[in-house]
Amino acid sequence: MQSAIMLNQQQAIDFLLHVAVTRPVFMWGPPGIGKSALVRRFAEAVGMECVSLLGSQLAPEDLLGIPQIDGKCSRFFPPANIVRDAPFVLFLDELNASSHEIQKAFYSLILDQRIGEYSLPKGTIVIGAGNRAKDAAIVKPMPSALVNRMAHIHLRSDHRQWLEWAKGEGGIHPWVLEYIQLRPDHLWSEPPKHEEPFSTPRSWHMLSDALHSFGEDTGEDMLDALAYGLLSPNHAGNFKGFLKQLRHKHGLHAIIKGEQHWPDAPGDRDVLYFLAQSFRAHLMKELPEEESAVRSAHHALSIRAKDMLRDLARISVEIAQSLLGEDSQGRRLPAWFLVEVARDLPRLAGRSQKETA
């Protein structure tokens, strides 16, 4: 299922608070984006117990119960994990990964809040969640009758909300926190089509827990194993470069101010690449898309950026060129700035040679 409307975590909470209390809701989103954590937050907000059922691991008897003789007839007794005296939040996780028999069993549970002869306590809230077919996850087509029984929302990651949580109750390791502040676009990446780790809020949280466990003296080999075992390969390489520049005190803002230079030692190429990509992200954030919106501060930054590009190209033409092309999401630096770069860099290169002579 696709949707042009994507909600962040706070918007999803607001939606649940107004809709899920009266009608079942299904949340679509890629792995690791925080669907389970969001439902737990919602359950805390409404003051209810949260009971989770994992659709991909359910058999029909797990939901319908086991028949037992009751006098002259048999009755299905519901499983203990969903029998409650008070209303609760029933979270049907990975609902669309369950078998078609289980999905059919969910029909009456979702619409009428009933399983066989057992009815859920009045006021119980039912929320489902699952991955999308394009996420390379185990999913099965959801029958139209089941789709039509729920309101559907699609989740997206939001680095501002994640950082706010991470700085507060999240307890996220300072290295991870600082990195995502520098590269918020690395918080989440599309699941790859082949088997390899990829970056999500969950994988960054896992990396944070591991770093807390190892402590400050984590060796380079172990840091590599953690980063490349949890993150997208490109993000892992950038995170490795970030840690190296952090330990060697290379700072992007100091380079922009002219207080430091690009690291030019052959052994610092990973640091150089990370700083260059961070510089690109900084320009994407600070420079306006339209030339008509350029102000004096933007003009000053563009002048400094062209000088930095010239200096960077003297160390690595390949890394300098990577700043000017498309990123993994097809984005480029503003067109007016790229025109200035094409116009001025030959002149700047000539000026640099005269200064050196």
Side-chain angles (χ1 to χ4, degrees), residues 1 26 28 95-107 110 139-150 152:
M1 181 179 288
F26 190 90
W28 298 85
L95 188 156
N96 58 334
S98 59
S99 66
H100 290 299
E101 290 76 15
I102 291 296
Q103 291 191 23
K104 286 190 293 184
F106 281 139
Y107 282 16
I110 291 172
V139 296
K140 295 180 175 64
M142 192 182 295
S144 59
L146 188 56
V147 170
N148 194 239
R149 281 166 162 78
M150 296 175 286
H152 298 261

Side-chain angles (χ1 to χ4, degrees), residues 162 172 176 200-213 226 229-231:
W162 190 86
I172 297 299
V176 173
T200 66
R202 177 167 59 199
S203 63
W204 283 109
H205 197 172
M206 293 166 66
L207 176 59
S208 169
D209 290 345
L211 291 172
H212 278 306
S213 179
L226 289 172
L230 286 165
L231 307 175

